[in-house]
Amino acid sequence: PSIFKHATDIIDLTKELEIKNPILMGHSMGAFISAIVASKLTSVKGLILLDGAAEMSGHQLDVVKPSLGRLTERFDSKEEYVKNVKSLYERLGVNWTPTLQNIVEYEIHQVADHWEHKSAREKILEDFENFYLFDPKEVMSEVECQALLVYARGEIGPFLPLFFESDYELTKKLFDSFLQSNAR
């Protein structure tokens, strides 16, 4: 797992499907991936980054790592797992829907006498740690299309946002530089 491998997969898929002038949009991890794709694929016509492609700090790992705990927990039943996740989502202010119910039920399976998440915690943590290899200056300086950056500035329920506004300073500075150089 790697955001850079995901980006390579998207570039390969774009070429395989012969997509001309794609407009990329990504949220969170997808924003990082979309930015990497746009930095390597000159045919990208537009880029929309939603709450991602920021400079990483230890804050993000502090926020995400505890939530990864559920990936290694064992549950007595599927219902216990769903109740646990539903409680987490409600603390974040997310409305529980039948779609969320289906997704959460899909991500768990029975193993012997207990239930556990299908994902490998180590792989997800490894994937997350790849965000720290993302260098906004290196990536964003290669983006040749116009981009829209949208990010959350407030809390996520009772929690701090994943990125602080200061984490976007370099990304915003590079966007501004691109706009000024193309306005001439």
Side-chain angles (χ1 to χ4, degrees), residues 9 12 15 20 30 32 68 75-76 98 115 119 136 156 178:
D9 291 344
D12 291 346
K15 290 176 181 176
K20 308 262 188 271
F32 285 86
L68 296 179
F75 298 88
D76 292 332
W115 290 77
S119 298
I156 304 169
F178 171 82

Side-chain angles (χ1 to χ4, degrees), residues 142-178:
E142 297 297 319
V143 173
E144 296 181 8
C145 63
Q146 289 194 348
L148 172 65
L149 172 64
V150 179
Y151 55 90
R153 293 171 50 177
E155 291 79 21
I156 304 169
F159 305 104
L160 293 173
L162 189 56
F163 297 103
F164 295 121
E165 191 164 358
S166 59
D167 298 328
Y168 289 103
E169 289 306 314
L170 186 54
T171 303
K172 291 190 311 186
K173 182 179 177 183
L174 292 163
F175 279 156
D176 291 343
S177 175
F178 171 82

Side-chain angles (χ1 to χ4, degrees), residues 59-90:
H59 166 73
Q60 290 82 28
L61 189 57
D62 292 343
V63 170
V64 170
K65 203 168 188 179
S67 69
L68 296 179
R70 75 177 174 19
L71 302 181
T72 56
E73 286 183 48
R74 294 176 172 205
F75 298 88
D76 292 332
S77 67
K78 180 190 288 189
E79 293 75 22
E80 179 188 1
Y81 175 77
V82 170
K83 181 179 175 184
N84 180 288
V85 175
K86 183 177 181 182
S87 171
L88 171 67
Y89 277 53
E90 287 172 345

